[in-house]
């Protein structure tokens, strides 16, 4: 990952941690990822991180327009039904009319 993308990824993982979504092994592994990166994970830890954090909270594409959702928007997309920021904005406008 490039520096900006890594920073956004770290912020995403921190948001999942800070908002109380994780416990047990997934919490400890996520803290390790933020502190030292994914490269330090054992295969078993990487599996837990993938299945309990990324697969659960990180949506790759917008459910509406199919655009890739950047790391900076993934946590919000988890809470808004899987939309990128543009589609979320447009949905809000349509609902306001």
């Amino acid at each position: 990952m490039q520096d900006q993308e890594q920073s956004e990824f770290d912020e995403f993982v921190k948001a999942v941690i800070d908002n109380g979504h994780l416990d047990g092994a997934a919490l400890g592994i996520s803290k390790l990822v933020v502190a030292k990166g994914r490269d330090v994970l054992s295969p078993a830890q990487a599996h837990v991180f993938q299945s309990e954090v990324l697969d659960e909270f990180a949506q790759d594409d917008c459910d509406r327009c199919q655009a890739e959702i950047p790391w900076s928007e993934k946590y919000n997309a988890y809470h808004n039904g899987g939309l990128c920021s543009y589609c979320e904005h447009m949905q809000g406008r349509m609902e306001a009319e």
Side-chain angles (χ1 to χ4, degrees), residues 14-67:
K14 287 177 190 175
V16 174
I17 293 169
D18 293 346
N19 288 290
H21 295 291
L22 303 174
D23 58 13
L27 177 59
I29 291 166
S30 295
K31 288 179 178 179
L32 179 62
V33 166
V34 170
K36 298 188 177 183
R38 292 168 72 176
D39 294 340
V40 302
L41 299 181
S42 70
Q45 289 171 319
H47 174 74
V48 169
F49 186 70
Q50 181 67 47
S51 64
E52 295 188 29
V53 180
L54 298 182
D55 290 349
E56 181 68 27
F57 299 100
Q59 182 163 333
D60 291 332
D61 299 321
C62 176
D63 284 344
R64 185 173 180 192
C65 72
Q66 308 308 311

